Each structure stands twice: as structure tokens, then as C-alpha cells.
Amino acid sequence: MKTSAQAPAAAPSGPPNITAILEKGGQFTMFIRLLESTQQDDQINTQLNNTNQGLTVFAPTDNAFSSLKSGTVNSLSDQEKVSLVQFHVLPTLMTMSQFQTASNPLRTQAGNSDAGEYPLNVTTSGNQVNLTTGVNDATVANTVFSSANLEVYQVDKVLLPLDIFAASPAPAPSKPEKDLPAATPKGSSTDDTNVDTSAAALSLNHRAPTVLTFGVAVLAAVAFRP
């Protein structure tokens, strides 16, 4: 998907106002709500009026938010929502041509990219600019607004930071319980059984000669009977 040549919106009268700019764009209702609920719209406007470095904002469309899994944003804590918005803002002005030579990771207003927090990488191919978060990829569709201190770009995906949306490690499988031998009732152990059996055999063997001797004596008596 190549970057569109759509002309950026004209600047609203007065100081730059990120909400007014996005409202004029016509397809950023959900992003505006997120900006307002986290008060990052005021933060951005304050920075625009008090910085010489300018800002760059990646604005996901309503379709980008609608394509998210249900509950993706609503399940976040208030601080995570703030970080999500800040992840879409660069604390410097970057034109489309500057993305061609940008060093990765880009520094966003979320966390400290120098310390490896909230990494956002950019790749280019001709006029196409792609953003990679480690969780998903997005494409810069066109320029929504451009001025001396603010660039607003439409992106086709909500940028999901790795620090918030990294997949949780799967729990380790539980070890199967070893088969334990069945409990033997008290007094009926295998050893006892063997002992009892041997004792019975011994008793029979002990009695056998006595029975045999008695039988022989009877026969002898009959044989010699006058």
C-alpha cells in the first residue's frame, strides 16, 4: 500500500489544535475520544505552543480501531491508555522524506526508547512508510496535516506497543502425578500372606508323616491278624 498523495488538511485558525485537526479529517472519532479521555489532547496542544522541535502524530482511523479484538483498549488501565496514546506521538517533527534516513528505534513520548522501552521501528520502500511495534505492523496511508511544527499521519492500524501487548508466557505444564501403589489393608500385607501360606504348608508337611505312619500300622495289624 503506497502513501497517498492526498493533500493535508488546512490549518485551523489560531494555534494548532490536535482535536480540531482530526475532526476535520473526518475518520478519527475513536482516536479523538482516546486523546480526550487521557487528556493527551491538552498535552499535545501545550507542547505545540511551547516547543521549537514540533511533534509528529500517527493517527489510527476508526476502521483501525474497529479491527482490534473486542476489549483490547477498554481492558487497559488508565496509565496504559496514556502510554498507548503517547506511543503514537513523536516528540520531534518528521517529514515523509526524513523517515527514509531515520534511525531505529524512533523515540516516542511513551517510555524511554534509549533504554529499550516502547520500541517503534520504521522501514521505507520507495514512498511507502511502514511502522513496526514488535506486536503489529502499520502503514502510513497519507498526510492528514502538515505545518512548521506538526505533522499528522493517517495509519491503517492502531500501534500496539510491545511493553503493553506482549504475549504472556504460557504457564509451565503441570507434572503428572506418579502412580502410587494401592494401599494394602492393615494386617493383609503381601509379606503376611506369604508367611501365613508358608506356615500352612509347613503344618501340612508336619502332619503328613504322622498320618502315613498310622495307616501303615493299621495295615500291618490286619495282615498279621490270626
Side-chain angles (χ1 to χ4, degrees):
M1 178 177 180
K2 292 189 176 181
T3 303
S4 171
Q6 177 180 332
S13 58
N17 182 294
I18 185 63
T19 303
I21 291 169
L22 293 173
E23 286 176 345
K24 191 173 182 64
Q27 53 182 329
F28 304 102
T29 302
M30 292 180 158
F31 190 48
I32 291 172
R33 288 177 184 171
L34 192 57
L35 283 166
E36 293 177 339
S37 66
T38 58
Q39 300 183 341
Q40 289 304 295
D41 56 337
D42 292 336
Q43 176 66 30
I44 291 172
N45 292 333
T46 298
Q47 285 182 258
L48 289 173
N49 292 320
N50 294 280
T51 182
N52 295 323
Q53 292 183 321
L55 295 173
T56 302
V57 177
F58 298 111
T61 63
D62 291 337
N63 285 338
F65 277 95
S66 297
S67 67
L68 291 174
K69 184 179 178 180
S70 178
T72 297
V73 175
N74 290 338
S75 63
L76 300 179
S77 67
D78 290 343
Q79 182 54 54
E80 287 173 334
K81 289 177 182 178
V82 170
S83 296
L84 177 61
V85 173
Q86 291 175 336
F87 192 59
H88 289 74
V89 183
L90 308 183
T92 55
L93 182 77
M94 291 196 70
T95 64
M96 289 297 294
S97 60
Q98 288 175 318
F99 285 120
Q100 304 282 343
T101 57
S103 298
N104 286 317
L106 299 178
R107 182 187 172 196
T108 72
Q109 298 209 137
N112 181 359
S113 59
D114 293 336
E117 298 177 342
Y118 294 89
L120 178 63
N121 295 318
V122 59
T123 59
T124 60
S125 178
N127 292 328
Q128 180 172 309
V129 177
N130 299 314
L131 302 170
T132 302
T133 72
V135 176
N136 66 341
D137 302 329
T139 298
V140 175
N142 59 61
T143 302
V144 177
F145 178 82
S146 180
S147 71
N149 65 343
L150 177 64
E151 294 282 347
V152 180
Y153 298 108
Q154 174 184 324
V155 290
D156 64 347
K157 299 284 180 61
V158 178
L159 303 177
L160 303 178
L162 187 64
D163 292 66
I164 297 176
F165 294 96
S168 301
S174 58
K175 293 182 180 179
E177 295 183 2
K178 293 182 179 179
D179 292 333
L180 298 176
T184 304
K186 188 175 180 180
S188 302
S189 67
T190 303
D191 291 342
D192 291 341
T193 303
N194 292 337
V195 171
D196 291 342
T197 303
S198 299
L202 181 60
S203 177
L204 290 173
N205 291 336
H206 178 72
R207 294 172 184 173
T210 303
V211 174
L212 180 60
T213 301
F214 177 77
V216 171
V218 171
L219 288 175
V222 171
F224 291 99
R225 189 173 184 181

